[in-house]
Amino acid sequence: MARKISMKMAINEAIDQEMTRDPTVIMMGEDIVGGAGGEGEKDAWGGVLGVTKGLYAKHPDKLLDTPLSESAYIGAAIGAAASGMRPIAELMFIDFMGVCFDQIFNQAAKFRYMFGGKAETPVVIRAMVGAGFRAAAQHSQMLTPIFTHIPGLKVVCPSTPYDTKGLLIQSIRDNDPVIFCEHKNLYGFEGDVPEKSYTVPLGEANVPREGKDVTIVAYGLMAHRALEAADLLAKDGIEAEVIDLRTLSPLDMDTVLESVEKTGRLVCVDEANPRCNIATDVSAQVAMNAFGALKAQIEMVAPPHVPVPFSPVLEDLYIPSGAQIADAARRTLAKGKT
């Protein structure tokens, strides 16, 4: 039975259900419990935004508060995964990945390959991504493309509570390392989520809106902005098809190519910096594999190539808007073959 819950609660519920189901699922991170071992409330924090609040009371032997050392506990999680556990490690902000990146891309991502397929590393590294939270340049980046560059890693970035719960459960059960990116500005977004456990397959995009005139590809918060753009375009009689990638590695290019074959026009949207982001990747693959179907040039929408501003006014201008995406769609519709 479905009921409306927030994305934050969907994450909490997915972890709770998997810890109940599988004794090898554990979790570690900074302040994911908070207060344990001291006076007062034993479950005081639940992470910086309270996502894991309440899990310690249900699973006191499965949650571990760690020192402020990403190198230490991300390495410990990867080692535990290689030894038969299914750890979830909370990196807090994805901006901190530079501290522990060697363990991720030189170790976890390569174990299966280097040991001839005999080694498995079923670790999930959860991290907050994205701007719009007034958290300044060191806590607001969309670094998802960096992880997609590394073979051996799977990268997920959902946009709805339903997808979040299903994709997180699937990620925990997956036998490869998964970088699970949670947009902090979507934690309060509510949607229908079944109470029972379920999975959403990795590598399958979703099409929340169908259309025949232009394809808009996005993920995370930008999937919502793409839907806003589709609403704006509909007022002009333009039918936009919106594709929510959900999983960035593996990437569901079949769904994108099928849509472009139908519409003949493409707008790619990414909140990540414009150089070598997911929008450039998708655009290049469409140009290579569906060039004949394109009726006009591909348009890309991304922030400027600058650090995320702290000023609220500048930060709001930095993040791509539905109006910007709609304008990009109008540009590609105004050009090329009809």
Side-chain angles (χ1 to χ4, degrees):
M1 179 180 178
R3 76 283 191 227
K4 287 189 181 298
I5 62 172
S6 67
M7 180 181 285
K8 183 164 71 171
M9 290 308 301
I11 295 166
N12 187 292
E13 190 169 270
I15 297 171
D16 180 22
Q17 290 179 352
E18 283 303 286
M19 284 186 170
T20 301
R21 185 191 68 87
D22 187 344
T24 67
V25 176
I26 59 174
M27 186 172 174
M28 58 184 75
E30 298 162 348
D31 287 333
I32 60 169
V33 176
E39 296 181 2
E41 189 177 356
K42 291 185 178 180
D43 186 8
W45 290 103
V48 67
L49 292 181
V51 177
T52 57
K53 178 76 172 174
L55 291 178
Y56 179 75
K58 298 178 181 179
H59 311 280
D61 57 338
K62 288 194 167 192
L63 277 79
L64 175 66
D65 265 346
T66 66
L68 298 178
S69 174
E70 287 79 11
S71 293
Y73 73 84
I74 294 296
I78 291 168
S83 303
M85 303 299 286
R86 288 189 177 273
I88 304 164
E90 184 179 288
L91 187 52
M92 196 178 287
F93 295 96
I94 203 165
D95 315 67
F96 302 163
M97 65 97 179
V99 183
C100 54
F101 201 32
D102 178 70
Q103 288 100 321
I104 296 171
F105 87 92
N106 256 343
Q107 309 303 327
K110 293 178 172 59
F111 282 166
R112 183 188 288 274
Y113 175 78
M114 292 176 67
F115 294 103
K118 297 178 181 179
E120 294 180 340
T121 315
V123 61
V124 176
I125 300 173
R126 296 178 42 246
M128 289 191 290
V129 299
F133 205 70
R134 315 310 188 209
Q138 296 174 335
H139 303 77
S140 305
Q141 297 170 91
M142 197 75 181
L143 299 178
T144 45
I146 292 178
F147 296 95
T148 65
H149 182 72
I150 309 300
L153 296 180
K154 294 177 179 177
V155 184
V156 178
C157 189
S159 67
T160 68
Y162 177 88
D163 287 345
T164 297
K165 180 178 177 180
L167 286 166
L168 182 52
I169 291 174
Q170 181 61 48
S171 298
I172 295 169
R173 297 179 185 181
D174 199 277
N175 289 329
D176 289 313
V178 179
I179 311 299
F180 197 88
C181 303
E182 304 161 9
H183 202 294
K184 59 180 79 73
N185 265 9
L186 291 176
Y187 273 153
F189 181 77
E190 294 188 345
D192 291 334
V193 179
E195 293 183 30
K196 65 179 180 62
S197 177
Y198 63 92
T199 61
V200 173
L202 304 186
E204 291 187 13
N206 184 37
V207 184
R209 182 168 183 148
E210 296 186 356
K212 61 180 177 60
D213 296 321
V214 59
T215 299
I216 304 176
V217 177
Y219 67 94
L221 177 64
M222 291 299 103
H224 294 273
R225 298 290 169 88
L227 289 169
E228 292 173 14
D231 287 338
L232 293 172
L233 293 167
K235 295 178 181 178
D236 298 330
I238 300 168
E239 297 181 18
E241 181 151 292
V242 176
I243 296 177
D244 179 358
L245 293 173
R246 300 195 292 193
T247 304
L248 306 178
S249 186
L251 184 63
D252 183 5
M253 281 305 301
D254 288 342
T255 296
V256 175
L257 293 171
E258 182 180 341
S259 179
V260 172
E261 291 281 351
K262 176 175 63 174
T263 66
R265 289 177 167 84
L266 174 65
V267 176
C268 290
V269 189
D270 196 348
E271 190 186 325
N273 295 323
R275 296 294 310 277
C276 305
N277 65 11
I278 304 302
T280 63
D281 184 6
V282 171
S283 297
Q285 293 196 55
V286 169
M288 286 189 297
N289 297 299
F291 184 78
L294 290 171
K295 299 176 182 178
Q297 69 188 48
I298 297 169
E299 290 283 342
M300 291 189 290
V301 181
H305 197 55
V306 298
V308 180
F310 180 59
S311 160
V313 174
L314 292 178
E315 186 176 24
D316 290 342
L317 289 172
Y318 171 91
I319 304 169
S321 66
Q324 286 177 285
I325 299 167
D327 287 344
R330 293 188 183 99
R331 286 196 298 272
T332 192
L333 284 159
K335 299 176 181 178
K337 300 173 287 184
T338 59

